Amino acid sequence: MHGLGGLTWGEWASLIAIITFLAGLISLLFKYAIFGPFRGDIKELNQNFTLLNHNLAELKSDISRLDRRADEHDRRLDRHHEKIKN
């Protein structure tokens, strides 16, 4: 009655400590050895997305400016055409 499953409480505590240590070691291995190299790539990707969003905003403003200019040219052309007709 001083144990569970044929092991004493001290052996169970040791077994749990060993399992916890190994789980922590595997977690650190994944964090630094496997996912570590991706951190730089993810930062670079985020910077690229930021730059693309900035460029997209500039393109949208340029397109709207060009649309306004094209509308103005259409109006001028219509007025010129009316002057020629008259």
Side-chain angles (χ1 to χ4, degrees):
M1 279 321 256
H2 296 288
L4 182 66
L7 300 174
T8 66
W9 292 115
E11 290 170 338
W12 276 109
S14 298
L15 189 61
I16 290 171
I18 290 170
I19 291 171
T20 304
F21 173 76
L22 289 176
L25 191 63
I26 291 170
S27 171
L28 286 175
L29 177 70
F30 273 101
K31 183 177 180 180
Y32 291 110
I34 294 175
F35 297 124
F38 292 123
R39 272 194 205 128
D41 294 338
I42 290 172
K43 282 183 183 179
E44 185 179 345
L45 189 61
N46 283 335
Q47 289 172 351
N48 288 340
F49 275 130
T50 303
L51 182 62
L52 283 172
N53 285 334
H54 178 69
N55 289 343
L56 183 62
E58 284 182 6
L59 285 173
K60 284 181 180 180
S61 67
D62 288 346
I63 288 171
S64 65
R65 185 176 52 84
L66 289 173
D67 280 342
R68 285 191 305 268
R69 286 184 65 194
D71 290 341
E72 178 63 30
H73 285 288
D74 282 343
R75 282 191 293 271
R76 284 183 185 177
L77 187 60
D78 288 341
R79 281 187 296 219
H80 184 67
H81 184 67
E82 288 300 318
K83 284 181 183 178
I84 291 174
K85 274 171 71 175
N86 291 336

